[in-house]
Amino acid sequence: MKVSLNWIKDFVNIDASVSEISSRLTSTGLEIGGEETIESIKGGLKGFVVGHVEHIEKHPNADKLKLTKINIGSAEPLSIVCGAPNVALGQNVVVATIGTVIYAPNGESFTIKKSKLRGELSEGMLCSEVELNLGTDNSGIMVLKDDIIPGSPITDYYPIYSDTVLDVDLTPNRTDAMSQLGVAKDLCASYYDKGYKITTPDVSSLKIPEVKPKIEVVIEDEKACLRYTSVSIKNITVKDSPEWLKNRLLAIGIRSINNIVDVTNYVMHELGLPLHAFDSDRILGGKVIIKKATEGSEFVTLDGEKRKLSEHDLMINNASEPMCIAGVFGGLTSGVSTETKNIFLESACFDSTSIRKTAKRQQLNTDASYRYERGADISLTPLSLKRAAALIVELAGGEIDGGISDIYPSPKNKVEIEFNLNEYTRIIGEPIDVSVVVKILEKLEFEVVKTSSETLILKVPFSRVDVTRPIDVVEELVRIVGFDNIATTDNSNVYFAKKSLGDKKALVRKDVSNLLVGQGFQEVINNSLMSSSKAEKFGFEKNIGLKNALSNELDILRPDLIFNLLDTLSYNVNRKRESLSFFEFGKAYEIDAYSDNGFKEVEKLCLLSSLEKQKKWDSEYKSDFYVLKASLESILNKVGFSTSGLKVKEFSNDRISHGIQFLIKKQAIASIGLVSKNLLKAFDIDRDVYFADVHFNEILKSMPTGLQYKQIVKFPLVNRDLALLVEENISFNDLAKKAKECEQNLLKEVDVFDVYKGKNLPEGKKSYALRFTLSDVKETLTDKRIEASMKKIQDGLMKAFKAEIR
């Protein structure tokens, strides 16, 4: 949010440097992200002075140029070459001295230098309106009045509006600071030990007749419309705003439209409460009704868009039709135009939840909705209305037509908090004097109802919707006192919590994360939204959509983590990252007809690896299936599973072209495979990518309870490899299971390290390269026993599957 220092000094007259004000506001929690100087004329007319023409003669080398001597109050007059046809002896003119920067209307600039024009010295420039950005007449130089003093800065006669604008990074809870007055209150409070006071706008000059309001107001939905204050003004003239108002709005980045609209914008940014002006002559039936819209009805907003309304959208209506989406956006036909003569001015407070939902439904984000969504100050509606009405009467003429209508169906009470000073000491670590507490809170407009040596009873201002508990009061005090002003002590006020062993999920997640990071993986956290078109193209036809999606690229909850991980991979590949291994803990979302809300969340851990031309020591290699499989197996081993005891089966789908699954009791707990070329093409990835998917909740349910120990084998393990030719429908899991049946004593593990189908193999056949691990806990295996065991395995596989040894 942009804050004008000129503006906030209208409320609190503090004579301090920009850097001090920025520092104090940042200390109070209103962090200053930047600052800039705003000038009504770029450059502020620096270097332009009044000059008096004392001598003129023709340029000896140019017919259209003249040589002049200009008195600017210095010891010697300046020699300036001038081509203006209207330059004359005895004139007072505007001189751009050497070093002055001239800003052209197109944004370009140049600096005046001492130079020679056609061989004659020129020590400046005589200027037209255009060079000064004071007008558009460039037919000749500006001629000033006779009674002004040569050498005077031109700004003495053409004052420049200048302001310093601070860019405040607001946190969402600080709705009270969404106005110039709100920021001024924090600045004033930061000087709590000084005598500064806040001066609010004076509306006493506005005379409101004690009569019935001109236009009747009816609130039909009192839950959505909490308060509605209004007044009518007649015989106004819609025209340009005065310069002071344009400059104030310009400083905070608001474009001037006309005096009526500008006043409503001005007061909103000044006090923090949105206002809206209607053309009274377009309020049919002389009546304003606040009620919910009819489902499916259409309404054309100020931007010309035809919008379909929901039955939950609150509308401002006349007797026949809607005029405005309450608290969000005005209608096309009911607003103020250049022909408007009479207006109906609204200052209201609407329910924040209702406004937020309507703004999201209609995909509108306006200054008004931004404030109402976060909670507006309900006590401000009369002051805001009177402030705007007084300015309109002043700037647009006219007069108040009828009395003020202020409908407040359910008046609210201020939040009351009992605050113990010991709470501040406990949290901050040092005591605070009760007198300091009272000074600070009163500066922040808290009402101190009752005070004792340790306890205060406080009433919170309506503007502070974020202050509801004693800890919030502690935060208010410490941000004004300043964290830098809290003394350090030798005492520790930190409470060390015991590590809970009950949160198994968190502990397992931490252990697995550390394991993967140690293997060179990087953890990523992706958006849980994605494009429905990509999901549907790759196997997910039914998805959980968003009612008010921000874009077509983010319109469903992700059914799988693979899509977001590939997005991350693509982003990094395009930036020349070669070694890429990611993992993500996250949720996938699936349709579930048996759940209460129609969907379920699936906790997952997913790994993705693509090590293209990764150099390791003195060799280069690419990642393959077995690199990622080793990482997956290390995860399963870490949580207590023996991969040799898990069932394994091959699988593929629209996303994985070749892969395997690990199963427990027919339930897949993890899978791994090569990402399909079609899916990679959708993300513009031209390299092999391997993906592992771990069903984290299933792992937690099935993982062994307690620690399991077994004696370390003292005798060496023995590996033997076999290459088998089998029918294409035979899986690795079938072969491993049969091998263990054939040799139950010595065979410890069966692994596959290659699968081949294609050239040089008979049709319908494929080749497995298997590794068998043998050992005996009692003695070293002899070649004779090894060969006997391997023969049993070979015979069993050949008999069961008609396998051929290659």
Side-chain angles (χ1 to χ4, degrees):
M1 187 186 85
K2 294 187 180 296
V3 173
S4 157
L5 286 192
N6 288 351
W7 206 338
I8 65 174
K9 285 181 178 181
D10 287 349
F11 304 121
V12 54
N13 189 19
I14 291 175
D15 185 17
S17 66
V18 175
S19 61
E20 181 183 340
I21 290 173
S22 296
S23 176
R24 283 184 175 269
L25 288 175
T26 298
S27 178
T28 67
L30 303 180
E31 184 177 355
I32 304 302
E35 65 179 65
E36 64 176 320
T37 299
I38 299 293
E39 294 169 321
S40 55
I41 294 178
K42 191 172 183 179
L45 297 182
K46 294 181 180 68
F48 294 94
V49 298
V50 176
H52 184 73
V53 182
E54 293 187 337
H55 175 78
I56 299 178
E57 62 180 87
K58 286 189 67 175
H59 194 293
N61 303 316
D63 293 338
K64 294 184 178 181
L65 298 179
K66 298 181 178 70
L67 306 181
T68 66
K69 295 289 184 180
I70 309 296
N71 175 16
I72 62 166
S74 55
E76 296 292 332
L78 300 178
S79 297
I80 297 178
V81 178
C82 178
N86 65 326
V87 63
L89 193 65
Q91 289 175 335
N92 282 337
V93 294
V94 180
V95 180
T97 57
I98 292 172
T100 300
V101 179
I102 305 286
Y103 293 94
N106 64 3
E108 296 181 357
S109 65
F110 64 92
T111 303
I112 300 297
K113 299 176 181 178
K114 181 186 284 190
S115 61
K116 285 191 174 184
L117 296 177
R118 296 289 183 94
E120 297 295 328
L121 178 66
S122 186
E123 300 174 296
M125 177 179 176
L126 305 187
C127 301
S128 70
E129 290 180 358
V130 174
E131 278 87 37
L132 278 73
N133 286 301
L134 289 173
T136 58
D137 184 2
N138 62 357
S139 60
I141 59 172
M142 282 185 68
V143 180
L144 306 176
K145 294 179 180 179
D146 294 337
D147 58 349
I148 56 180
I149 303 169
S152 303
I154 198 66
T155 51
D156 289 352
Y157 308 97
Y158 292 92
I160 300 299
Y161 177 80
S162 178
D163 193 2
T164 298
V165 176
L166 304 179
D167 197 356
V168 180
D169 298 329
L170 284 179
T171 52
N173 64 308
R174 292 301 306 277
T175 56
D176 62 299
M178 291 180 188
S179 66
Q180 308 297 309
L181 178 59
V183 174
K185 287 177 182 178
D186 263 22
L187 180 61
C188 182
S190 73
Y191 291 95
Y192 65 89
D193 52 347
K194 308 293 183 183
Y196 296 121
K197 291 184 179 179
I198 288 291
T199 303
T200 54
D202 183 11
V203 294
S204 59
S205 62
L206 183 69
K207 305 301 179 185
I208 306 291
E210 296 290 333
V211 296
K212 184 179 178 182
K214 174 75 172 180
I215 292 178
E216 180 188 359
V217 176
V218 177
I219 300 178
E220 291 191 6
D221 193 325
E222 296 180 355
K223 289 184 178 179
C225 181
L226 308 178
R227 189 174 188 178
Y228 197 90
T229 311
S230 58
V231 72
S232 297
I233 306 174
K234 63 181 180 181
N235 300 327
I236 64 163
T237 301
V238 178
K239 56 185 179 181
D240 279 351
S241 296
E243 287 301 315
W244 72 264
L245 180 53
K246 288 181 179 179
N247 288 335
R248 281 286 166 90
L249 295 177
L250 173 68
I252 60 172
I254 304 296
R255 179 176 61 88
S256 175
I257 297 174
N258 60 52
N259 53 351
I260 306 302
V261 175
D262 288 356
V263 164
T264 59
N265 283 330
Y266 178 85
V267 175
M268 176 179 67
H269 287 278
E270 180 181 57
L271 302 180
L273 191 69
L275 299 103
H276 192 74
F278 299 88
D279 188 326
S280 293
D281 297 327
R282 297 183 180 183
I283 300 178
L284 303 179
K287 192 174 186 179
V288 168
I289 306 167
I290 299 100
K291 62 180 182 179
K292 292 288 176 66
T294 302
E295 181 66 37
S297 60
E298 293 183 338
F299 178 70
V300 182
T301 46
L302 198 56
D303 56 0
E305 289 286 325
K306 185 181 288 186
R307 302 180 185 276
K308 187 168 287 188
L309 301 176
S310 161
E311 61 182 352
H312 302 293
D313 294 334
L314 188 68
M315 304 295 293
I316 311 297
N317 306 267
N318 57 37
S320 303
E321 59 189 10
M323 301 186 295
C324 172
I325 303 177
V328 180
F329 209 27
L332 183 63
T333 60
S334 62
V336 174
S337 67
T338 53
E339 288 77 32
T340 298
K341 299 299 178 186
N342 308 301
I343 63 168
F344 174 78
L345 190 61
E346 160 198 292
S347 175
C349 186
F350 302 108
D351 175 65
S352 58
T353 302
S354 173
I355 297 300
R356 177 178 57 80
K357 290 182 176 180
T358 292
K360 293 297 181 185
R361 265 192 301 271
Q362 300 299 338
Q363 297 185 347
L364 288 168
N365 182 21
T366 62
D367 281 338
S369 67
Y370 182 80
R371 286 161 172 78
Y372 282 128
E373 286 173 14
R374 288 155 177 78
D377 184 348
I378 200 168
S379 67
L380 268 181
T381 61
L383 175 61
S384 295
L385 184 81
K386 291 177 181 179
R387 173 64 165 159
L391 286 172
I392 289 172
V393 169
E394 176 188 342
L395 304 180
E399 56 187 301
I400 302 300
D401 189 13
I404 284 181
S405 170
D406 185 14
I407 303 177
Y408 196 176
S410 304
K412 296 183 178 297
N413 296 319
K414 290 182 176 180
V415 173
E416 195 168 286
I417 298 175
E418 183 176 336
F419 179 65
N420 193 304
L421 295 180
N422 293 328
E423 181 73 359
Y424 180 94
T425 305
R426 184 182 73 83
I427 298 295
I428 304 304
E430 66 179 23
I432 186 170
D433 190 85
V434 66
S435 62
V436 173
V437 173
V438 172
K439 282 182 182 178
I440 291 173
L441 293 178
E442 287 183 343
K443 290 278 188 183
L444 294 172
E445 298 189 342
F446 284 72
E447 185 181 343
V448 182
V449 179
K450 186 179 178 182
T451 307
S452 67
S453 59
E454 292 185 351
T455 304
L456 291 83
I457 305 298
L458 307 172
K459 285 190 176 180
V460 181
F462 287 114
S463 60
R464 298 308 306 272
V465 295
D466 58 322
V467 179
T468 57
R469 305 164 298 165
I471 190 65
D472 299 328
V473 179
V474 173
E475 183 183 353
E476 289 301 293
L477 294 171
V478 75
R479 73 182 182 86
I480 299 300
V481 169
F483 288 96
D484 293 341
N485 296 322
I486 297 172
T488 57
T489 68
D490 294 332
N491 298 326
S492 173
N493 296 294
V494 179
Y495 294 86
F496 297 97
K498 293 181 179 179
K499 185 177 180 180
S500 172
L501 297 178
D503 190 359
K504 183 169 69 171
K505 180 190 289 187
L507 292 174
V508 171
R509 177 170 173 165
K510 181 179 178 182
D511 287 343
V512 170
S513 295
N514 289 337
L515 175 69
L516 289 172
V517 169
Q519 294 177 3
F521 284 82
Q522 292 177 304
E523 184 172 10
V524 297
I525 301 174
N526 284 309
N527 198 335
S528 59
L529 305 178
M530 65 167 291
S531 164
S532 58
S533 60
K534 280 185 179 175
E536 290 165 2
K537 186 176 179 180
F538 295 101
F540 295 101
E541 296 179 359
K542 294 183 178 180
N543 297 293
I544 303 163
L546 304 184
K547 286 186 177 179
N548 296 293
L550 296 176
S551 72
N552 291 334
E553 295 300 312
L554 300 170
D555 60 345
I556 62 167
L557 292 171
R558 61 184 178 187
D560 198 306
L561 275 62
I562 189 171
F563 300 103
N564 301 96
L565 283 168
L566 287 172
D567 249 338
T568 303
L569 178 70
S570 176
Y571 181 88
N572 282 273
V573 167
N574 291 335
R575 283 153 182 80
K576 307 302 181 184
R577 293 287 305 277
E578 298 294 341
S579 174
L580 297 166
S581 295
F582 302 133
F583 74 95
E584 180 179 9
F585 284 96
K587 291 179 180 178
Y589 302 87
E590 301 175 358
I591 299 289
D592 183 4
Y594 300 102
S595 65
D596 294 336
N597 53 15
F599 67 90
K600 65 179 179 180
E601 300 175 318
V602 182
E603 194 90 22
K604 288 194 174 190
L605 162 64
C606 292
L607 287 69
L608 184 141
S609 180
S610 180
L611 306 178
E612 186 78 4
K613 296 182 180 177
Q614 172 66 20
K615 195 157 195 167
K616 189 170 184 180
W617 296 105
D618 60 347
S619 62
E620 291 187 353
Y621 72 98
K622 294 184 179 182
S623 64
D624 59 16
F625 174 86
Y626 300 102
V627 173
L628 191 59
K629 180 173 178 282
S631 294
L632 177 58
E633 289 179 339
S634 71
I635 293 171
L636 296 174
N637 291 334
K638 183 72 176 178
V639 297
F641 292 102
S642 171
T643 50
S644 62
L646 298 175
K647 292 184 178 180
V648 179
K649 75 171 186 178
E650 295 180 58
F651 92 107
S652 64
N653 55 35
D654 292 320
R655 301 169 297 286
I656 303 297
S657 56
H658 306 291
I660 61 171
Q661 288 181 326
F662 292 93
L663 300 95
I664 296 178
K665 298 178 181 178
K666 298 184 179 181
Q667 174 66 47
I669 61 168
S671 62
I672 181 173
L674 176 66
V675 179
S676 73
K677 295 295 184 184
N678 287 337
L679 181 54
L680 293 177
K681 186 177 179 181
F683 289 89
D684 295 322
I685 298 172
D686 185 21
R687 53 161 70 184
D688 287 343
V689 178
Y690 296 90
F691 178 73
D693 188 354
V694 180
H695 296 267
F696 196 58
N697 280 343
E698 294 299 328
I699 291 284
L700 294 173
K701 289 178 189 175
S702 306
M703 64 185 288
T705 56
L707 295 175
Q708 297 180 339
Y709 300 94
K710 64 180 180 180
Q711 184 179 359
I712 297 174
V713 178
K714 297 179 181 180
F715 304 99
L717 300 174
V718 177
N719 292 326
R720 288 290 185 270
D721 297 341
L722 279 181
L724 300 173
L725 190 66
V726 296
E727 296 292 333
E728 196 170 359
N729 63 340
I730 304 300
S731 69
F732 164 72
N733 191 49
D734 296 331
L735 297 173
K737 184 178 179 182
K738 188 62 182 179
K740 289 177 181 178
E741 289 176 0
C742 295
E743 177 52 85
Q744 299 180 10
N745 295 323
L746 301 183
L747 183 60
K748 303 304 178 186
E749 289 186 17
V750 182
D751 289 311
V752 57
F753 61 89
D754 189 36
V755 180
Y756 177 72
K757 291 187 291 187
K759 190 177 178 181
N760 298 327
L761 290 184
E763 188 175 349
K765 298 280 187 175
K766 64 181 174 182
S767 172
Y768 279 108
L770 304 180
R771 177 161 293 159
F772 301 88
T773 302
L774 308 169
S775 80
D776 191 331
V777 296
K778 295 179 181 179
E779 61 183 359
T780 301
L781 289 176
T782 63
D783 288 342
K784 185 177 180 180
R785 291 186 68 192
I786 294 169
E787 294 304 323
S789 293
M790 288 303 299
K791 189 172 188 314
K792 283 198 292 183
I793 293 171
Q794 288 180 38
D795 291 345
L797 295 176
M798 292 171 69
K799 183 178 180 181
F801 305 110
K802 298 181 181 179
E804 299 176 33
I805 306 299
R806 297 188 67 199

